[in-house]
Amino acid sequence: MSRIASAETARMSLASSGRLLLAVLGAASLAACAQSPVGRQKADLAGTTRQAAVERPHRVAALHPRPISRARSSEGKQTASHGVASFYSDTETASGEKFDKNELTAAHPTLPFGTKLRVTETSSGRFVTVRVNDRGPFVRGRVVDISPSAAEALGMVDKGITNVRLEVVR
């Protein structure tokens, strides 16, 4: 093989190695992005506390809703919030339970599973007590998703959404 041919082969080999290295680096970068917790990134951007970032739901689809206003007790614990409620149906909940539209259950973004909430429709004063067994809602401005039976108890089935006050019962 001539000196020119061997130099050309070496240059082509170097170019192929460079392209391969770029492809590997690109794939590694994409893999790192895919594994980063989007919820935690959004929480860090929003300036929330580290505790709030850890308690984010496992399903991250959109920005988490923020209550319109909050009443706080003297210990700084959230006792009530106001916002928009909707109702939903699903097949399985984030807690692992099978969804039952006849139970009085709810999806809340941060409250622990099993928490009892009193959901009061603000215009009529009707209320229902539900148990948190799912995560959501994933629509900006909404504070809770309730089961169809709880929505029926509040009289909101025809409206789809309504303004509510949430109070933690236990």
Side-chain angles (χ1 to χ4, degrees):
M1 193 183 255
S2 73
R3 193 185 296 165
I4 295 173
S6 65
E8 185 66 28
T9 305
R11 192 175 75 195
M12 287 175 46
S13 175
L14 183 62
S16 296
S17 297
R19 278 190 235 126
L20 179 63
L21 179 64
L22 285 175
V24 169
L25 287 175
S29 296
L30 288 175
C33 290
Q35 294 177 357
S36 67
V38 175
R40 180 163 293 166
Q41 289 173 352
K42 287 181 181 175
D44 292 342
L45 291 174
T48 57
T49 65
R50 180 171 176 81
Q51 182 67 22
V54 172
E55 293 178 356
R56 290 290 184 204
H58 73 282
R59 290 186 292 174
V60 178
L63 292 176
H64 295 280
R66 304 247 184 244
I68 294 170
S69 66
R70 293 181 182 162
R72 294 192 178 266
S73 65
S74 59
E75 304 94 47
K77 222 175 167 184
Q78 180 179 340
T79 57
S81 64
H82 294 267
V84 177
S86 56
F87 67 96
Y88 73 110
S89 61
D90 206 346
T91 55
E92 191 175 316
T93 63
S95 65
E97 293 179 33
K98 185 167 174 56
F99 180 79
D100 184 354
K101 68 178 184 171
N102 298 315
E103 287 189 31
L104 299 175
T105 57
H108 191 275
T110 57
L111 289 174
F113 295 138
T115 301
K116 299 282 186 170
L117 280 178
R118 175 181 274 186
V119 181
T120 306
E121 207 267 339
T122 55
S123 63
S124 69
R126 293 170 85 173
F127 67 89
V128 64
T129 302
V130 296
R131 179 178 51 87
V132 175
N133 72 337
D134 202 359
R135 291 292 174 227
F138 300 108
V139 177
R140 174 172 245 149
R142 296 195 188 163
V143 294
V144 70
D145 272 338
I146 57 177
S147 64
S149 60
E152 191 173 321
L154 290 179
M156 65 174 275
V157 174
D158 292 334
K159 294 186 277 186
I161 60 172
T162 191
N163 289 319
V164 294
R165 174 183 169 92
L166 299 180
E167 297 173 275
V168 175
V169 176
R170 70 170 181 94

